[in-house]
Amino acid sequence: MSNIAQPSSDGDAVSSPPVAPAATEAVLEQLQRQLEEAQRLAGIGSWSWDLRTGAVAWSRETYRILRFAQGTPPSFERVLALAVDEAHQAEFLEVVHAALRGEREYDLEIPTRLADGALITIHTRGVVERADDGTPLRMLGTMQDVTAMRAAEAALREREAQFRTLAESSPAGVFQTSREGYAVYANQRVLDWFDMDFESFAGGAWVTCVHPDDALVVQRNRVQAREQLQPIDMAYRIVVKDRTRWLRVRSEPFFDSDGVTVLGHIGYVIDTSAERFASEERARLQSQLQQARRLESLGLLAGGVAHDFNNLLVGMLANASLARDELDPSHPAREALDDITHAAQRAADLTRQLLSYAGRARLERRQVPLPSLVLDIPKVLGARIPPHITLTVDAPLGPVVDGDETQLRQVVLNLITNAVDAVGMRNGSVSLTVSEGDYSADTLAQCLLGRERSPGRFAVICVKDTGSGMSHDVQERMFDPFFTTKVSGRGLGLAATLGILNSHGGAIKVNSTEGVGTTICVLLPVSLNRPTPPSVTAVPSGVLNGSGVVLLVDDDVNARSAARRILTRAGYDVREAENGADAIARLDAMETTPRCIVLDLSMPIMSGDECLRRLRARGSTIPVLMSSGYDADDVAAHLIAPGSVHFLQKPYTSTSLLQAIHELVGA
């Protein structure tokens, strides 16, 4: 044999010494054994088929795979016969013939039934050796039992299908990322939330949906997850199609089979919007509840202070007006008494604002067309609107409400005045608009006092300014009495506004941003078209004198004393009582039935409305003039027939007291 070239250490072929035939055979046998051992370890057998002689050769591993005993004559027909059925046999033959014709490679997987009945899958592949003219000479190939491999692949596909089914049916979003942090899987839930296909999502387009305020948090967590292999647990907002959604994202790194190499992250996403918004709503409602309780407490305090102050003012106003009437028109003391009267009336205005805040002010209810009311506002304010501020009014015909026109006008004036003050010395604008619409319970709940209102149709007065806006702290306290941000303010305007709205069954909503401006919207129930009661014609002062017995009931000594002097001077025989129980006892002891009873509403031991209820229960029809700093119409209207009770607002002058009695009983 010729010398066998062996490679040198540097890769060049060098000549080796001649080898004896016996040594060559030994080497070949050793190589053969090594090949067979390699085939056994790999589980891959080899075969050859001489097309000229029909001789077939199998390696030991091929015998093992086919489970034929060593020495069994190998043949093409034996292999063909192992195919599980005729269809697979036909497929086997077609692949062989096609390979021989040069139409395709020989590569085939075929289910095989072995002699012992075992069913396996064989993967066989090979090449065709050809003569120079292309004539097939021999086929050489390999054979492998891939049954376990295909079963493992099928099990993996099944697990992947189960995972995908679980992930796609999950109410949570499921995702998987690569080591570099790019998405390699995201279920449809995630894609729907971000409103994009997987290609866009995997390309990183999802970050464009992250709320700008949360972008830094998201970026920081992504970097930590990628560089420090840390778990992710974060919450952030996304904005898709103008809808904000809160997401909670949690993920853990997952590893290769070695437990060391990180392959990426796998995790889930939960939509926590409902929970977040519910929490924010609870916080908002809690804040409203706390504010309502605070305002209620302040209202009770303000109402109590106003009531006691009104009793003091009754003595001041009544005695001052009575003394003035006793003096000659040229008497110098009349001027001092006029000053006292004016001061007391200003104090009475202050108590009325306190009562308005407390929702206890006297209401003169009638139908009020809001357009005509607001269109008069520019005329009322006049020069109080500086030339650098533009006031616009948009009030289409339509909205009519039931209420006290004077108080509603005061509400609008308060809002406009505050808006003008907010603009200050800068150029700006204030707009006043009137509209109406249907409001649901949810919409009303967004307003202060709104949760106490029933859904329905409301008229809306909105005042919008381009002023300095209000901070959150100021908005929290803006309706508190005596709280003001103005140098010369008294802090009662908005407090009274809130009280007036409460007594009118209304609500109010404030939207303010510092440096941008403020919009305040007032909601009032639209009128149900009840007829407006006729106004009372004033009685000339010259016919206010009277006669007969008047029972005067008031717990305040000064108020009772002043009223007694006024009534006595006008010709009435006055009997006094200091509370409701005392009044009933005195009535029982009186021989002459009083022409009327002047009855204070709020008294200890027995209040005026309880006294009135007991009198009517006993069948008494004595006319009653109810007097209070509070609005007593709603208290007494359901107890007595219309016309048997009139009301007199404290504090009152001598003329207003006498005129009220004249309207009640006549001369």
Side-chain angles (χ1 to χ4, degrees), residues 28-83:
L28 291 177
E29 289 179 1
Q30 181 181 4
L31 292 175
Q32 180 67 25
R33 287 194 299 272
Q34 290 176 351
L35 176 60
E36 290 178 351
E37 182 65 15
Q39 289 188 2
R40 186 186 69 81
L41 293 175
I44 300 175
S46 61
W47 53 268
S48 65
W49 180 22
D50 191 327
L51 299 174
R52 294 166 297 183
T53 65
V56 176
W58 293 342
S59 69
R60 289 180 178 274
E61 185 61 20
T62 300
Y63 273 100
R64 190 195 65 76
I65 293 172
L66 299 178
R67 300 186 190 178
F68 284 127
Q70 294 290 332
T72 302
S75 69
F76 175 80
E77 288 75 13
R78 287 183 185 278
V79 176
L80 176 62
L82 294 177

Side-chain angles (χ1 to χ4, degrees), residues 205-362:
W206 64 271
V207 297
T208 62
C209 300
V210 176
H211 193 286
D213 293 344
D214 300 333
L216 185 59
V217 173
V218 172
Q219 179 62 21
R220 183 168 59 247
N221 276 271
R222 292 183 68 197
V223 170
Q224 290 177 350
R226 183 172 62 250
E227 297 181 356
Q228 303 176 22
L229 307 181
Q230 293 183 352
I232 292 177
D233 188 351
M234 63 176 171
Y236 62 88
R237 289 162 291 178
I238 61 172
V239 181
V240 178
K241 293 183 177 179
D242 297 327
R243 177 184 176 182
T244 300
R245 189 188 302 270
W246 273 99
L247 300 180
R248 172 76 179 276
V249 181
R250 300 191 67 178
S251 72
E252 295 279 348
F254 69 98
F255 301 87
D256 199 356
S257 57
D258 59 10
V260 177
T261 305
V262 176
L263 300 180
H265 270 70
I266 187 167
Y268 66 88
V269 186
I270 298 177
D271 182 355
T272 60
S273 302
E275 178 183 344
R276 282 274 187 166
F277 295 149
S279 177
E280 293 173 0
E281 178 68 6
R282 283 194 300 271
R284 189 185 65 80
L285 294 180
Q286 185 65 27
S287 175
Q288 279 194 357
L289 179 61
Q290 291 175 352
Q291 185 178 21
R293 287 175 175 172
R294 184 176 74 252
L295 295 178
E296 181 180 8
S297 299
L298 291 172
L300 292 173
L301 175 63
V305 170
H307 174 263
D308 293 341
F309 196 45
N310 268 337
N311 282 333
L312 297 175
L313 290 176
V314 167
M316 295 175 61
L317 267 175
N319 284 314
S321 61
L322 183 62
R324 183 181 183 281
D325 292 341
E326 292 286 348
L327 297 177
D328 185 80
S330 60
H331 197 287
R334 286 178 65 98
E335 183 177 356
L337 291 172
D338 286 341
D339 290 342
I340 293 174
T341 300
H342 291 155
Q345 287 174 341
R346 291 178 60 189
D349 290 338
L350 183 60
T351 62
R352 274 192 289 272
Q353 291 191 57
L354 284 173
L355 288 171
S356 295
Y357 170 73
R360 307 289 295 274
R362 167 73 172 168

Side-chain angles (χ1 to χ4, degrees), residues 73 113 261 283 312 328 388 530 538 561 622 625:
R113 179 77 66 180
T261 305
L312 297 175
D328 185 80
H388 62 274
R530 293 187 299 271
S561 176
I622 301 174
L625 178 62

Side-chain angles (χ1 to χ4, degrees), residues 393-442:
V393 180
D394 182 12
L397 297 177
V400 176
V401 300
D402 292 323
D404 187 305
E405 183 173 356
T406 300
Q407 291 192 6
L408 294 179
R409 181 178 289 106
Q410 186 62 45
V411 167
V412 180
L413 288 173
N414 286 341
L415 297 181
I416 293 293
T417 301
N418 287 341
V420 170
D421 291 342
V423 176
M425 301 305 296
R426 300 173 299 174
N427 291 332
S429 64
V430 175
S431 64
L432 172 61
T433 61
V434 176
S435 61
E436 63 178 302
D438 295 318
Y439 283 78
S440 64
D442 290 340

